[in-house]
Amino acid sequence: MAIAGVIGGVTFICGTAATQAIAYLLRISAAPSLMRHGFGLAGVAASVLAAGQTVPISFNYMLGKPWQPTSIGVDVAVRDMLFGLICFRALGGLPKSPLPSDLRYPGAFSRHSLAATNAYADIEERGSIKGIAQVLGCHSCGLRNGPFHADHMPPNYVAKSLDAQFLRKLFRIKTKQRYYPQCRPCSNLQSTAVKTDTRILRTHFAVLRPYHATGVFVGMFSSVTAPSLTAKR
């Protein structure tokens, strides 16, 4: 079962990394959008299925059995997918988690935040942001290496543009902003992205979170339930 967990774990991590790479090439980010997050969820589901199917294929190879194309039954696929997605969510994963971050929007690691004004964060707010960063890391790249800034979302430049719209000015509707922790390199890149309205994507291939262990559980689950393996017992 331990070997199955390793095989499933490695396969899932490779699958989510491939999802991120494809998303980067297609310019799909973790910015709020049903379509974008649907792409991320589809990538997670495909990685779960790959993790579940790689285990019996690998075991058959280690037993010296000739490789044959495996046909995935609908019931097996649904079972693995549901189990894997439940594990992924229980371990803190979200549909946006495997996607690169667009620096103009809340990133792939954006979760907890603080209510913000258009001013810089004060000492107390910066202390709270530092505490969030120590647990969750930079909301754009996930790194926990400081120092961190209290990043306005939406950025002040965007918020001012929105507030200048006629209807917003007429009804005195102010854009609500939040503070998120952001590392200095991402903050420097964000300045250019916002002022030029350029989609600069920040990847996070080397950053691991608990939800990356989803494949370990899927692999062990598959080793117990796969028909080709349980038949040998």
Side-chain angles (χ1 to χ4, degrees), residues 20-227:
Q20 186 177 173
I22 294 169
Y24 183 85
L25 292 174
L26 297 177
R27 313 304 289 166
I28 297 172
S29 74
S33 162
L34 284 177
M35 186 200 74
R36 296 186 185 105
H37 291 186
F39 181 89
L41 188 60
V44 172
S47 301
V48 165
L49 288 176
Q53 289 302 305
T54 303
V55 170
I57 292 173
S58 301
F59 272 48
N60 287 336
Y61 176 79
M62 288 186 284
L63 291 170
K65 297 184 68 174
W67 181 86
Q68 294 179 348
T70 32
S71 135
I72 305 175
V74 174
D75 56 337
V76 174
V78 171
R79 179 202 66 199
D80 284 351
M81 189 181 301
L82 287 177
F83 179 78
L85 291 177
I86 289 170
C87 288
F88 180 75
R89 186 66 191 95
L91 292 169
L94 295 172
K96 65 180 179 180
S97 296
L99 302 176
S101 299
D102 185 334
L103 294 175
R104 300 170 299 173
Y105 300 95
F109 300 91
S110 59
R111 291 172 185 264
H112 299 300
S113 60
L114 301 176
T117 65
N118 58 6
Y120 289 112
D122 60 29
I123 294 176
E124 184 179 347
E125 289 166 333
R126 289 199 298 270
S128 298
I129 285 295
K130 183 179 179 181
I132 294 173
Q134 288 173 342
V135 177
L136 300 176
C138 169
H139 80 96
S140 300
C141 70
L143 294 178
R144 295 190 176 98
N145 302 328
F148 291 96
H149 299 284
D151 181 34
H152 284 90
M153 278 292 147
N156 279 336
Y157 186 85
V158 175
K160 288 177 182 177
S161 298
L162 292 172
D163 290 344
Q165 294 175 357
F166 175 74
L167 289 178
R168 283 180 174 271
K169 290 177 68 175
L170 180 64
F171 294 103
R172 298 182 180 180
I173 301 172
K174 288 289 185 181
T175 301
K176 293 183 179 180
Q177 294 175 280
R178 307 286 299 181
Y179 290 128
Y180 289 93
Q182 190 175 55
C183 67
R184 185 172 292 168
C186 286
S187 180
N188 292 339
L189 287 172
Q190 184 196 64
S191 178
T192 301
V194 170
K195 289 178 181 177
T196 60
D197 195 23
T198 303
R199 185 183 303 173
I200 298 178
L201 300 185
R202 187 77 157 146
T203 57
H204 44 88
F205 292 105
V207 178
L208 295 179
R209 289 292 186 267
Y211 57 77
H212 284 105
T214 298
V216 174
F217 295 102
V218 172
M220 292 190 292
F221 180 72
S222 180
S223 72
V224 174
T225 60

